[in-house]
Amino acid sequence: MTPEEQNFMRKINAEDKIEPKDWMPDAYRKNVIRQMSQHAHSEVIGMQPEGNWITRAPSLRRKAVLLSKVQDEAGHGLYLYSATETLGITRAEMIEALQQGTAKYASIFNYPTLTWGDVGAIGWLVDGAAIVNQVSLQRTSYGPYARAMIRICKEESFHQRQGYEALLALAKGSPEQKQMAQDSLNRFYWPALMMFGPHDSESAHSAKSMEWKIKRETNDDLRQKFIDQTVPQIEFLGLAHPDPAIKWNEERGHYDHGDIDWEEFYSVINGNGHCNRQRIEHHVAAHEEGAWVRDAITAYNDKKNANKIKNVA
Amino acid sequence: MSDAIKAATLEYVTRLGDDSLVLGHRISEWVSYAPFLEEDIAYANVALDYVGRARMFYTYAAELAADGRTEDDFAYMRSDRDYRNLLLLEMPRGDFAYSQIRQLFADVYYSLVLPELVKSKDERIAAVAAKAIKETKYHVRRSRDWVHRLGDGTEESHKRTQKAADQLWGYTHEMFDMDETEQLLADNGIGVDVSKLRDQWHKDVSAILTESTITVPEDSWAVRGGRTGYHTENLGHMLTELQIVHRSHPGCQW
Amino acid sequence: MTTEKLELFEVFIRSKRGLDHKHVGSLHAEDHAQALEYARDCYTRRSEGVSIWVVKSNDICASQEDDAESFYDPSDDKPYRHATYYVLPDPVNNM
């Protein structure tokens, strides 16, 4: 190891944060950029499936809540892009990578939101799974990422609670509403479990990410945490658990569960989900439609600055 | 409160609620479509302000109606013929220039209406206006700055902005119309005499358009009807979307 | 076309009167005025602030890791600057 590497590993081992101007191995920088930008893209693409219901929210209160929730997702995307930019990559480069498919985003957003119940399910299960992961990431080794996570976690708990509350209203409502809640739970439960990524043995980036303390807990440990916390929440709603194999294991102190359909997982990741193309096309379309607006700002700003110089002279 | 005044007040706050909801809904259609992320966040704030305002007006309307209806009944259970919003606000989202020109026309309008409304002898109306004034100061700054940038930006943005101003101008005249209901309330110190605000609005908006190198449109055409429920074709589609889930499950809680 | 031409600004927020401004993140904007407005929308959605500073990221001059020793180490041997250096008897220790 070079002295720089030694110094870097000393900080990692001492639970010191790595800060933007610190020396870091190229592979570390790349790894953090990959994970952070993927996280940022997930927030931004996640605006679409939920935004899909803003205009149809069934009450004014729900409409305001959903609007502010989706607005938060945009905000979280911004925090994360901003934190990633400290690593020497621009937001424009990250967006380009997203649009060209070289950067990924959470696969869960490639599932369609078909009913109002899905808005509740996303808040409760998808944000719930994200929180389990993000709480762990508050201790990640890259300083700006850890700080962004702390900020985001504070805001996310509203997201999960509003989602659960929306499903609770459905579960306590008419038979049709209850059916809507069950249907949403059935469709989003398994994809939510997949959000934690493949088994640790299969995960390409896991080992190095753990060593560098970018990731603090394994995919399987985090997934188990989520499974455990979700069981009583499903019970309270009075809905049927989507996993018939779910069973308390006294010895492990955890719930045993059925197998995840990894074929589906890889199929969606590889572009065959319902919405993979739609999500990117939406993003590209909005970005391109915004080009003339961004051009206008630049042109206006140039004129303003030229005038200032003229006035001074 | 006499019955006549009470009925007029109910009609009036419903109109104000409709204005706020319809505009808030149109702005919310921008979510995930804004030209960049910061603007997505900022514009959503404006949408939230208007939806919040709608809720306060409808809540008061429901209290005045005292017939068991809630804010949601006002929003979700009335058809387009019953809505009383200004036509300008129901026009489609359009491109960003179209939305910002509409926003400028509306924001300047409220920046003049609200300082009068805050003096209303009806405390509830005055309280909503007091909250809304703060929001509107910020809204006007935003829409003014955007019209400056777009009007005096590139050739394309200028063209789009001018076109939007020309397309929307004809819908602004009815903003200053008074009918019996509003006259009664204005005479009693409850509502605003909007006809008196027209010159100031014209002056403020013209100044901003001119600074933005946009030609102030001619007053040659004017469409009216929002306050009597004679809408454009756009509102029906908007309400279809807004009301579909609520109406598909009658009497349900959400 | 991208947002590339907008400038990067760092945002600092004073969360309460009497506290320091604290760095919270960055954003893209056309100029200082727009950066302030966006900072309000992007970083104070839950009334987190009573005052906002925005600074062009390019205008920030930061110390380098390599300088760290010369910058900070000289303070390491001056423990007498810290209150805990002074051991006082319990009855008067609350100062």
Side-chain angles (χ1 to χ4, degrees):
Chain A
M1 264 201 271
T2 64
E4 279 122 344
E5 280 169 337
Q6 278 174 3
N7 193 23
F8 171 80
M9 278 318 293
R10 182 185 52 75
K11 286 183 205 158
I12 295 280
N13 292 331
E15 295 282 329
D16 262 0
K17 298 293 178 212
I18 305 301
E19 293 296 341
K21 302 271 178 189
D22 292 352
W23 184 91
M24 61 189 88
D26 270 351
Y28 177 88
R29 186 183 298 272
K30 274 199 195 120
N31 193 322
V32 181
I33 288 178
R34 181 188 57 78
Q35 190 172 330
M36 289 175 74
S37 65
Q38 181 174 327
H39 200 156
H41 297 325
S42 301
E43 300 280 359
V44 169
I45 295 295
M47 294 168 69
Q48 292 180 32
E50 292 185 280
N52 184 33
W53 283 91
I54 290 175
T55 53
R56 290 177 288 173
S59 75
L60 292 179
R61 174 169 170 268
R62 293 283 173 206
K63 194 182 189 69
V65 167
L66 184 58
L67 241 175
S68 62
K69 198 232 162 187
V70 177
Q71 186 198 29
D72 267 356
E73 309 295 0
H76 296 172
L78 178 78
Y79 302 162
L80 284 160
Y81 281 131
S82 130
T84 317
E85 281 183 299
T86 61
L87 287 160
I89 184 171
T90 64
R91 194 195 301 177
E93 289 168 324
M94 290 185 257
I95 288 177
E96 202 182 325
L98 169 70
Q99 296 188 343
Q100 291 181 349
T102 51
K104 294 212 177 321
Y105 56 89
S107 236
I108 188 93
F109 299 124
N110 291 320
Y111 292 83
T113 49
L114 302 177
T115 70
W116 169 252
D118 293 357
V119 171
I122 288 189
W124 167 38
L125 297 171
V126 176
D127 289 292
I131 292 171
V132 169
N133 192 30
Q134 286 164 353
V135 164
S136 168
L137 284 173
Q138 293 182 75
R139 296 184 295 123
T140 190
S141 58
Y142 187 57
Y145 194 17
R147 291 191 287 277
M149 278 303 115
I150 290 169
R151 201 177 170 81
I152 287 172
C153 279
K154 266 192 217 158
E155 303 187 349
E156 284 279 352
S157 90
F158 138 58
H159 295 180
Q160 191 185 14
R161 292 170 70 93
Q162 67 81 30
Y164 191 76
E165 191 204 59
L167 272 192
L168 192 57
L170 295 181
K172 303 251 176 277
S174 69
E176 290 81 12
Q177 284 179 306
K178 189 167 180 183
Q179 176 50 37
M180 193 190 279
Q182 183 71 57
D183 173 49
S184 297
L185 170 61
N186 293 349
R187 278 183 291 111
F188 277 93
Y189 180 77
W190 290 104
L193 296 192
M194 295 178 199
M195 284 174 68
F196 295 97
H199 287 309
D200 301 312
S201 48
E202 313 279 325
S203 174
H205 304 284
S206 259
K208 205 66 191 166
S209 295
M210 291 291 288
E211 185 195 333
W212 279 334
K213 299 188 180 172
I214 298 170
K215 251 170 88 165
R216 300 313 305 260
E217 285 168 272
T218 69
N219 293 351
D220 287 326
D221 285 350
L222 291 168
R223 183 167 21 240
Q224 183 71 57
K225 218 177 250 185
F226 178 72
I227 289 170
D228 291 349
Q229 78 180 33
T230 305
V231 169
Q233 293 167 351
I234 294 175
E235 272 170 20
F236 188 81
L237 289 173
L239 299 178
H241 201 293
D243 181 357
I246 202 88
K247 190 167 180 281
W248 178 249
N249 182 325
E250 191 68 49
E251 204 174 309
R252 289 203 307 131
H254 291 292
Y255 281 92
D256 290 338
H257 53 88
D259 287 333
I260 288 171
D261 182 351
W262 293 111
E263 210 171 300
E264 177 185 321
F265 173 79
Y266 286 110
S267 166
V268 176
I269 281 196
N270 291 327
N272 300 316
H274 269 56
C275 303
N276 297 57
R277 282 163 195 75
Q278 180 192 332
R279 299 292 184 234
I280 293 298
E281 277 164 17
H282 175 136
H283 194 273
V284 169
H287 194 68
E288 283 175 0
E289 168 58 22
W292 69 268
V293 179
R294 298 192 295 275
D295 285 346
I297 300 180
T298 311
Y300 176 75
N301 209 19
D302 289 348
K303 285 185 206 174
K304 207 173 55 181
N305 289 336
N307 275 341
K308 260 188 222 158
I309 293 166
K310 217 168 33 189
N311 290 342
V312 171
Chain B
M1 211 188 280
S2 79
D3 282 353
I5 296 230
K6 194 169 174 183
T9 307
L10 171 57
E11 168 71 18
Y12 191 56
V13 290
T14 306
R15 290 177 183 186
L16 293 170
D18 290 348
D19 281 356
S20 306
L21 178 60
V22 168
L23 181 56
H25 186 97
R26 283 299 186 211
I27 304 171
S28 79
E29 292 175 355
W30 274 102
V31 170
S32 82
Y33 289 96
F36 49 99
L37 202 50
E38 283 82 351
E39 184 56 25
D40 233 318
I41 301 168
Y43 212 10
N45 258 355
V46 181
L48 276 170
D49 287 342
Y50 276 104
V51 172
R53 214 179 278 181
R55 295 188 63 192
M56 292 188 283
F57 281 126
Y58 285 150
T59 301
Y60 185 35
E63 283 172 34
L64 287 169
D67 53 8
R69 283 188 290 169
T70 66
E71 54 167 8
D72 285 337
D73 292 319
F74 279 82
Y76 291 93
M77 299 306 287
R78 289 183 307 135
S79 74
D80 54 335
R81 300 283 287 131
D82 302 321
Y83 262 68
R84 290 291 181 266
N85 59 281
L86 296 164
L87 301 179
L88 173 74
L89 310 177
E90 73 195 37
M91 299 308 282
R93 193 194 80 172
D95 67 11
F96 199 66
Y98 190 87
S99 271
Q100 293 310 322
I101 284 285
R102 180 233 307 272
Q103 202 66 48
L104 178 74
F105 291 170
D107 292 340
V108 171
Y109 178 70
Y110 291 116
S111 78
L112 300 172
V113 169
L114 292 169
E116 296 302 316
L117 205 56
V118 87
K119 296 184 240 163
S120 173
K121 283 185 185 154
D122 185 305
E123 283 174 20
R124 293 290 297 279
I125 293 178
V128 179
K131 183 174 180 298
I133 276 184
K134 293 183 205 156
E135 299 163 353
T136 289
K137 272 188 193 151
Y138 171 70
H139 298 168
V140 174
R141 239 180 14 240
R142 258 185 57 87
S143 48
R144 182 201 61 199
D145 289 354
W146 268 120
V147 170
H148 280 161
R149 287 183 204 114
L150 299 178
D152 195 14
T154 61
E155 200 178 314
E156 180 179 8
S157 71
H158 175 84
K159 220 164 39 185
R160 287 176 186 255
T161 312
Q162 183 68 59
K163 189 173 161 200
D166 294 340
Q167 283 175 324
L168 289 169
W169 192 256
Y171 298 100
T172 61
H173 305 284
E174 69 163 352
M175 298 198 294
F176 307 99
D177 289 349
M178 293 292 286
D179 63 4
E180 272 177 33
T181 302
E182 299 204 13
Q183 198 57 56
L184 175 69
L185 294 176
D187 292 344
N188 283 276
I190 293 169
V192 178
D193 186 346
V194 284
S195 67
K196 292 184 180 153
L197 304 177
R198 189 185 158 102
D199 290 347
Q200 189 61 44
W201 182 88
H202 196 277
K203 203 174 137 214
D204 291 353
V205 166
S206 300
I208 294 168
L209 291 180
T210 308
E211 287 157 11
S212 314
T213 72
I214 297 296
T215 308
V216 179
E218 300 288 334
D219 282 342
S220 58
W221 62 287
V223 185
R224 299 183 146 85
R227 296 302 191 209
T228 57
Y230 190 48
H231 289 279
T232 68
E233 290 176 350
N234 302 293
L235 185 67
H237 292 283
M238 195 195 109
L239 292 183
T240 302
E241 193 172 340
L242 188 140
Q243 299 177 336
I244 177 74
V245 180
H246 187 96
R247 288 212 190 196
S248 302
H249 301 265
C252 285
Q253 298 297 308
W254 301 95
Chain C
M1 258 323 297
T2 63
T3 63
E4 185 71 338
K5 288 183 191 157
L6 291 177
E7 265 198 273
L8 188 62
F9 287 82
E10 301 297 324
V11 182
F12 299 78
I13 290 182
R14 182 202 294 287
S15 58
K16 231 167 66 180
R17 299 191 66 84
L19 296 182
D20 293 324
H21 284 78
K22 199 173 148 196
H23 183 245
V24 293
S26 63
L27 51 76
H28 295 200
E30 158 203 339
D31 57 13
H32 286 98
Q34 195 187 34
L36 263 185
E37 308 250 299
Y38 280 150
R40 173 252 192 205
D41 288 314
C42 297
Y43 287 99
T44 67
R45 291 194 302 285
R46 291 174 176 75
S47 325
E48 290 96 334
V50 293
S51 160
I52 303 175
W53 290 347
V54 290
V55 184
K56 285 185 185 175
S57 306
N58 278 336
D59 288 343
I60 290 183
C61 182
S63 64
Q64 297 296 317
E65 155 93 345
D66 298 344
D67 301 336
E69 289 186 1
S70 61
F71 246 68
Y72 307 114
D73 285 1
S75 336
D76 283 358
D77 58 358
K78 299 184 184 68
Y80 44 81
R81 282 186 190 278
H82 298 276
T84 47
Y85 178 76
Y86 305 93
V87 180
L88 295 180
D90 275 349
V92 292
N93 199 21
N94 190 21
M95 70 171 67

